[in-house]
């Protein structure tokens, strides 16, 4: 089973999707491919004040509990980063063997360490820690047009939020759903394929 998913590093649900991706691969043998989806292009390049997001208390508690269960640390944030450079860097580095370390490192830098992943120096640090030549990576990273094309492809498939999952055959799942939801989708798809 091949699954494509679209995500942005500044989305907490996408951070939780790290757990879902690893579980889908381990539990179902799925090959899961990440694609960039710039969720908030309106954030200035220098970042900005984090908006007050009002979630129902049970949703916020669920997110915190799921992140803790997945051992994904979260530091308090007062600002948001523009994720364009981080997404472009990650998309450029995706064919490299070190990409999984970069991918996790970008989430860790933003969510666990509270760093600005729009800052080229932070991106260089994360790339270097992952074993990627930061100079080459930042100089050659994808341009905005390719990020827009990735998001447009997701929207064409019916994905309008992150994380968004495409299982083929027109089956789309929105969000970092509980594992049992993915179980049901995969069992249904495997039943149809039989």
């Amino acid at each position: 089973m091949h699954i494509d998913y679209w995500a942005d590093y500044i989305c907490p649900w996408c951070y939780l999707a790290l757990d879902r991706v690893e579980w889908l691969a381990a539990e179902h043998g799925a090959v899961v491919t990440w694609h960039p989806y710039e969720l908030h292009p309106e954030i200035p390049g220098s970042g900005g004040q984090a908006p007050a997001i009002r979630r129902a208390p049970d949703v916020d508690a669920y997110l915190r509990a799921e992140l803790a269960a997945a051992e994904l640390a979260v530091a308090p944030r007062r600002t948001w980063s523009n994720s364009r450079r981080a997404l472009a860097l990650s998309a450029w580095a995706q064919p490299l063997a070190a990409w999984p370390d970069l991918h996790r490192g970008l989430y860790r830098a933003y969510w666990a360490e509270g760093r600005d992943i729009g800052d080229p120096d932070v991106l260089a640090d994360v790339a270097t820690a992952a074993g990627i030549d930061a100079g080459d990576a930042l100089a050659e990273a994808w341009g905005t047009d390719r990020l827009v094309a990735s998001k447009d492809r997701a929207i064409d498939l019916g994905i309008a939020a992150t994380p968004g999952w495409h299982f083929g055959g027109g089956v789309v799942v929105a969000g970092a759903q509980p594992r049992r939801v993915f179980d049901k989708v995969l069992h249904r798809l495997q039943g149809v394929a039989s």
Side-chain angles (χ1 to χ4, degrees):
M1 171 64 67
H2 184 247
I3 303 166
D4 291 290
Y5 83 109
W6 281 260
D8 192 334
Y9 292 108
I10 63 171
C11 167
W13 300 101
C14 296
Y15 185 33
L16 179 57
L18 284 175
D19 171 75
R20 303 312 192 246
V21 168
E22 290 174 1
W23 176 80
L24 283 162
E27 185 70 18
H28 292 280
V31 175
V32 186
T33 302
W34 171 86
H35 301 278
Y37 188 111
E38 189 177 8
L39 188 58
H40 289 288
E42 76 280 4
I43 297 173
S46 58
Q49 183 74 26
I53 297 176
R54 301 195 190 280
R55 294 186 192 99
D58 58 333
V59 172
D60 209 34
Y62 170 78
L63 177 58
R64 281 194 311 272
E66 288 292 304
L67 288 167
E71 299 180 356
L72 296 169
V74 178
R77 294 203 67 81
R78 292 204 174 115
T79 60
W80 271 19
S81 292
N82 178 296
S83 61
R84 189 171 300 127
R85 286 184 179 127
L87 292 167
L89 169 63
S90 189
W92 173 85
Q94 199 168 17
L96 304 176
W99 178 79
D101 292 333
L102 175 71
H103 186 59
R104 276 193 156 275
L106 288 167
Y107 277 115
R108 185 174 45 256
Y110 188 74
W111 289 104
E113 299 167 3
R115 299 173 78 189
D116 177 7
I117 60 168
D119 182 336
D121 291 335
V122 171
L123 294 177
D125 287 348
V126 175
T128 300
I132 295 171
D133 182 315
D136 287 349
L138 293 172
E140 297 181 32
W142 271 23
T144 303
D145 56 334
R146 292 178 73 183
L147 293 178
V148 169
S150 177
K151 186 173 182 177
D152 286 347
R153 180 172 171 238
I155 291 168
D156 288 346
L157 291 169
I159 295 168
T162 59
W165 310 80
H166 183 257
F167 289 79
V171 177
V172 171
V173 173
Q177 298 292 332
R179 292 174 175 182
R180 68 181 178 276
V181 171
F182 291 109
D183 268 334
K184 288 180 183 179
V185 170
L186 288 169
H187 289 308
R188 189 169 297 143
L189 286 171
Q190 290 164 351
V192 169
S194 299

